[in-house]
Amino acid sequence: MEVSVHDSPAELLDGELATTNVRIVDVDAVVVGAELRNWVFVKITTSEPGLVGWGEATLEWKTQAVVGALRDLAPLLRGRDPTRIEHLWQSQYRHPFFKGGAVTMSAISGIDQALWDIKGKLLGVPVWQLLGGAVRDRVRMYDHLGAGDASVVYGAATGEGFAAAARRSVADGFDAVKILAVPVGGPLPTTTQLDDARAVMGAVRDAVGDAVEIMVDFHGRTTPRGALMYADALADLRPWFIEEPCQPEDVSGMVEVARRSPAPVATGERLIVRAEFRDLLAARAAAVIQPDVCHVGGISGLTKIASLAETWQVPIAPHNPLGPVATWANLHLDFATPNFLVQEIMRADVPWRADVVSAVPEIADGHVALPTAPGLGVEVVEEAAREHPYRHEPQLGTVLADGSVADW
Ligand SMILES: [Mg+2]
């Protein structure tokens, strides 16, 4: 075994194993300020004229750290063969010694998506084709309704706001929506808070009827026992699933909720490495997992987590309230993943969402058809992106009545 210290990773790590003549020239971030979050798009340029890959590494309130992580990882990529995606993933994950963490894994995720984009473009096929081919004809989408009303901060939404937003979703063809019905609160919900949550979800159920699935995101605002109080209060309104009912790293707490909640539990948007999902699945703590393609190591990371979940008969519903490149990365995965349930999309963040990319998926009857363009099928329009520069994400200062800090 040889351990070398080298200034030129391309020469060291690819050597004669380079499988194409194409080489990575550089890795850059294009940051777009999009109100609640900054979208971090990753651009990989190559030695092949015009061959550029795009990915997304958005991580709210950590934007500058992710851009820094991309700079840290770039020397491991420059000069290397972009088609050796898994080899590059392993190198980025293992060579820096300290593994995991949301910041580094988000950077790896954006790079990984861009590498799949490059490979698809190079071979002239969509990414789903590289992932084993399509296992379904269309992908079911659900509409994340944000706060239900663009004028209010998360957590302050009203039943009327959510009901109006849900009606718009149904009019646009969706048959599944997600709301944040549980208010920011203390460790145990008060009777009034339980009634408020019920009123919010009840308004949405009245607005859309029983043919539309309603998912309720608890946003980790509650303790396990508090979550069960909400789950019981909402039970007859029939949530399709309840999401992040307690702190996501507390597997035994999640199990407590999962065993006793009338509604299935979904979680995973804040889990990062595969072992976290393994532990969650082995404990049977979730009926649905929600890995994020921008945090779990990109398309390479998410496909492995999905496959792991399949062995526990648990479907994936990929988390996706981030930017428009991530949506495409998810769609290619969804088409190629047998244990896929439903795909989240956020439409309620900024009205110019479609302006900064070359394409957004067309949603008809709440579904997206199989993409046909090579790679991910999306380019960032850099000139339009420059019109929305980075700005620090707004501080959401959620505090309780006694001045103590609460999860938002
Ligand atoms: Mg969530």
Side-chain angles (χ1 to χ4, degrees):
M1 186 182 68
E2 189 178 338
V3 179
S4 311
V5 178
H6 209 283
D7 287 336
S8 173
E11 190 180 322
L12 170 70
L13 298 167
D14 276 343
E16 294 177 1
L17 283 175
T19 51
T20 69
N21 293 324
V22 182
R23 293 291 177 269
I24 294 171
V25 171
D26 215 344
V27 179
D28 292 299
V30 174
V31 177
V32 175
E35 300 294 338
L36 190 61
R37 48 182 63 88
N38 288 286
W39 296 333
V40 182
F41 298 126
V42 177
K43 179 184 185 183
I44 296 184
T45 46
T46 71
S47 57
E48 189 81 2
L51 180 61
V52 170
W54 287 102
E56 183 171 338
T58 301
L59 184 67
E60 303 98 322
W61 290 281
K62 312 279 185 194
T63 299
Q64 296 180 88
V66 171
V67 172
L70 289 166
R71 289 195 186 116
D72 284 337
L73 291 167
L76 281 170
L77 296 152
R78 288 189 198 109
R80 298 188 65 189
D81 177 353
T83 66
R84 300 185 66 196
I85 299 173
E86 182 63 23
H87 193 54
L88 290 168
W89 197 101
Q90 296 283 329
S91 175
Q92 293 172 87
Y93 185 67
R94 296 166 73 175
H95 279 140
F97 188 61
F98 282 95
K99 298 183 177 73
V103 171
T104 302
M105 291 300 286
S106 295
I108 291 175
S109 298
I111 290 167
D112 181 82
Q113 293 167 38
L115 293 173
W116 281 100
D117 188 32
I118 287 169
K119 190 161 193 165
K121 287 169 174 168
L122 199 60
L123 298 174
V125 294
V127 168
W128 57 259
Q129 193 69 275
L130 302 175
L131 299 175
V135 296
R136 56 180 47 78
D137 299 333
R138 56 185 195 153
V139 159
R140 185 183 184 188
M141 310 294 285
Y142 77 84
D143 207 5
H144 178 342
L145 301 185
D149 179 340
S151 66
V152 298
V153 173
Y154 266 39
T158 61
E160 294 73 39
F162 274 122
R167 278 191 212 96
R168 284 195 293 275
S169 301
V170 173
D172 290 343
F174 288 91
D175 63 0
V177 297
K178 188 164 79 185
I179 61 174
L180 280 85
V182 169
V184 172
L188 281 185
T190 64
T191 305
T192 303
Q193 287 172 329
L194 292 169
D195 289 345
D196 287 349
R198 223 187 119 66
V200 169
M201 182 165 178
V204 179
R205 179 58 80 200
D206 286 347
V208 301
D210 288 336
V212 172
E213 304 299 346
I214 304 171
M215 291 148 271
V216 182
D217 189 351
F218 286 26
H219 233 232
R221 291 172 175 170
T222 44
T223 57
R225 191 63 190 89
L228 284 166
M229 293 168 73
Y230 279 116
D232 287 338
L234 299 176
D236 68 308
L237 296 169
R238 297 159 72 190
W240 203 29
F241 61 60
I242 59 170
E243 176 175 320
E244 279 197 334
C246 62
Q247 293 297 301
E249 70 277 13
D250 179 9
V251 174
S252 65
M254 209 64 78
V255 171
E256 181 185 348
V257 181
R259 286 203 179 133
R260 296 172 55 197
S261 166
V265 167
T267 188
E269 70 181 69
R270 285 188 273 183
L271 302 183
I272 307 296
V273 298
R274 211 179 325 159
E276 292 176 300
F277 285 94
R278 176 202 60 200
D279 294 349
L280 186 83
L281 292 160
R284 297 221 168 263
V288 177
I289 59 165
Q290 302 171 296
D292 191 313
V293 75
C294 292
H295 308 322
V296 298
I299 291 168
S300 301
L302 210 156
T303 51
K304 290 173 186 167
I305 290 165
S307 185
L308 190 66
E310 191 183 6
T311 66
W312 273 283
Q313 302 181 72
V314 170
I316 63 163
H319 180 245
N320 179 46
L322 307 181
V325 174
T327 298
W328 283 109
N330 276 307
L331 284 168
H332 286 270
L333 275 161
D334 302 339
F335 272 107
T337 301
N339 55 323
F340 162 78
L341 180 68
V342 68
Q343 176 60 57
E344 178 174 29
I345 191 165
M346 163 71 88
R347 305 188 303 160
D349 46 10
V350 287
W352 42 265
R353 164 172 269 264
D355 298 348
V356 299
V357 285
S358 59
V360 292
E362 188 178 334
I363 301 172
D365 294 331
H367 290 74
V368 171
L370 197 63
T372 54
L376 292 177
V378 62
E379 311 287 324
V380 174
V381 181
E382 293 183 73
E383 194 177 322
R386 276 192 286 274
E387 291 177 26
H388 308 281
Y390 165 83
R391 64 174 193 135
H392 188 68
E393 292 86 345
Q395 299 293 346
L396 299 181
T398 45
V399 292
L400 303 179
D402 65 0
S404 60
V405 173
D407 284 288
W408 71 275

